[in-house]
Amino acid sequence: MRSYSLTAPAKINLYLEIIGDRPDNYHELAMVLQSISLADKIDIRSIGIETIVVRCDHPLVPPDASNIAYRAASLMSKQFPDVFARYGGIEITIDKHIPVAAGLAGGSTNAAAVLVGLDLMWELGLTHGELQELGAQLGSDVPFCIGGGTALATGRGEVLSPLPNLDHIYVVLAKYKSLSISTPWAYKTYRQQFGDTYVTDTESQENSRQRVHSGPMVSAIAHHNHTEIGKLLHNDLEKVALPEYPQLLKLREAFASQNVLGAMMSGSGPTMFALTESQSQAEEVEAAVKGKMADPDLEFWIAQFNSSGISIAH
Ligand code: C5P
């Protein structure tokens, strides 16, 4: 086929612990990542000339090489130059629904869709591992976004252990339209403020990873204990984002005061989310928090946990 349409889901963090520094200047992490049904649609098409074109009508999504979806196509064209020459250029159209710079891996999941889409369109037959390796060259969350579902992520975020799927959990998301948080800022500020608590030697880092692997959040997921999952939500980056942006703390408190399993910021923020057991509960929570905050700058979404990552759109 000369074109593919793909669904690229967002992710939320159920757990994010910063363990320490890495020699590559990134952070050693232990995270639980969860795909959700809030998704972008990515169309990929072969075009006559050997070039890469990105189209997106969202004002914050650049069409050039600074777009991670463009970089994904560029990486594939360099990795497989003969196939690129045979098939011609690549046109990528992004139908954006996931908020940008929001802690939901919106860019990473677009890049993951380009890798999966080109693997299909060019009939490369890459393995999941090969796609994940390419993804890791683009961003720490890209490998997870390819397969999605529920996973424990360590290393930079690219070392993945699948966890049992969590069905029937709903999520209400809220984000201030005018507020975005840069991921490098969040990690840099965390290092400045909490660097002295970092675990430095490799053995202690391994112990920290093991503690999460065999810890209460992973156990709660294994037992499908939704109440415990809600209670155990944890994100170290809240320690820098909430003091800097007090409106986020208020939003978190508004969510937590409702009938929810738990509430937390996703990734480096600023999206705040709450987990519920049903769609109707999610709708009630959305209406209550909307009423309480009464701020036209605040946008809401309702989604469901997703058991997969990139899929072909129907
Ligand atoms: O890998 P990605 O491009 O998504 O990372 C964005 C930024 O987040 C990095 O430049 C780095 O500042 C920070 N980061 C980090 N440690 C990680 C992942 C991301 O410090 N494990």
Side-chain angles (χ1 to χ4, degrees):
M1 282 224 284
R2 309 295 280 175
S3 69
Y4 273 92
S5 280
L6 301 130
T7 303
K11 65 90 184 143
I12 55 170
N13 294 77
L14 302 179
Y15 191 88
L16 192 163
E17 181 180 330
I18 298 177
I19 293 174
D21 263 326
R22 292 166 53 94
D24 59 9
N25 258 333
Y26 277 66
H27 284 86
E28 190 64 29
L29 305 174
M31 302 188 283
V32 176
L33 303 173
Q34 174 64 54
S35 303
I36 59 171
S37 58
L38 174 65
D40 292 338
K41 189 169 155 274
I42 309 289
D43 290 311
I44 295 180
R45 194 164 76 84
S46 280
I47 49 175
I49 35 165
E50 252 179 81
T51 178
I52 298 167
V53 179
V54 174
R55 302 187 192 285
C56 181
D57 56 15
H58 191 294
L60 296 177
V61 179
D64 55 27
S66 64
N67 187 319
I68 190 169
Y70 185 109
R71 289 199 287 118
S74 172
L75 176 67
M76 289 293 272
S77 70
K78 289 192 180 87
Q79 201 77 14
F80 305 100
D82 299 346
V83 190
F84 183 51
R86 183 147 29 95
Y87 277 82
I90 308 159
E91 185 188 70
I92 301 163
T93 308
I94 304 172
D95 183 7
K96 202 88 199 131
H97 299 279
I98 305 170
V100 176
L104 299 174
S108 302
T109 194
N110 293 172
V114 170
L115 298 180
V116 171
L118 286 176
D119 176 46
L120 290 168
M121 198 166 79
W122 290 352
E123 298 174 309
L124 296 169
L126 297 176
T127 63
H128 201 79
E130 285 167 338
L131 284 169
Q132 286 184 336
E133 231 166 81
L134 289 165
Q137 295 178 42
L138 297 162
S140 309
D141 286 337
V142 180
F144 167 76
C145 290
I146 293 169
T150 311
L152 183 70
T154 56
R156 269 198 305 140
E158 87 288 18
V159 181
L160 300 168
S161 309
L163 293 172
N165 284 328
L166 291 169
D167 297 323
H168 313 301
I169 299 187
Y170 290 78
V171 54
V172 189
L173 303 125
K175 179 184 175 288
Y176 288 97
K177 276 179 238 172
S178 60
L179 180 63
S180 51
I181 292 182
S182 123
T183 305
W185 172 85
Y187 279 102
K188 195 179 80 195
T189 310
Y190 192 90
R191 186 182 276 128
Q192 281 163 0
Q193 293 182 11
F194 301 100
D196 55 348
T197 67
Y198 284 6
V199 171
T200 45
D201 63 291
T202 38
E203 196 186 328
S204 309
Q205 290 198 351
E206 181 53 27
N207 288 341
S208 299
R209 278 192 294 271
Q210 274 309 324
R211 193 172 32 74
V212 179
H213 260 280
S214 55
M217 178 55 102
V218 171
S219 169
I221 292 169
H223 290 94
H224 294 269
N225 186 335
H226 295 179
T227 309
E228 275 301 298
I229 293 169
K231 279 192 203 149
L232 292 166
L233 294 174
H234 175 85
N235 183 353
D236 274 338
L237 290 174
E238 285 193 328
K239 292 182 210 159
V240 291
L242 301 188
E244 182 77 15
Y245 302 104
Q247 67 271 44
L248 291 182
L249 182 59
K250 272 201 191 136
L251 181 55
R252 193 191 202 282
E253 285 168 353
F255 269 137
S257 69
Q258 302 300 312
N259 179 20
V260 297
L261 295 165
M264 196 177 71
M265 184 179 84
S266 183
S268 55
T271 304
M272 201 61 72
F273 70 83
L275 305 181
T276 67
E277 294 270 25
S278 70
Q279 167 95 23
S280 59
Q281 224 172 318
E283 284 164 10
E284 278 168 29
V285 170
E286 180 189 339
V289 173
K290 225 178 225 174
K292 205 169 192 173
M293 305 300 286
D295 188 338
D297 193 39
L298 204 48
E299 259 188 301
F300 288 83
W301 298 263
I302 289 177
Q304 217 180 333
F305 280 18
N306 231 31
S307 56
S308 63
I310 306 303
S311 60
I312 296 176
H314 300 293

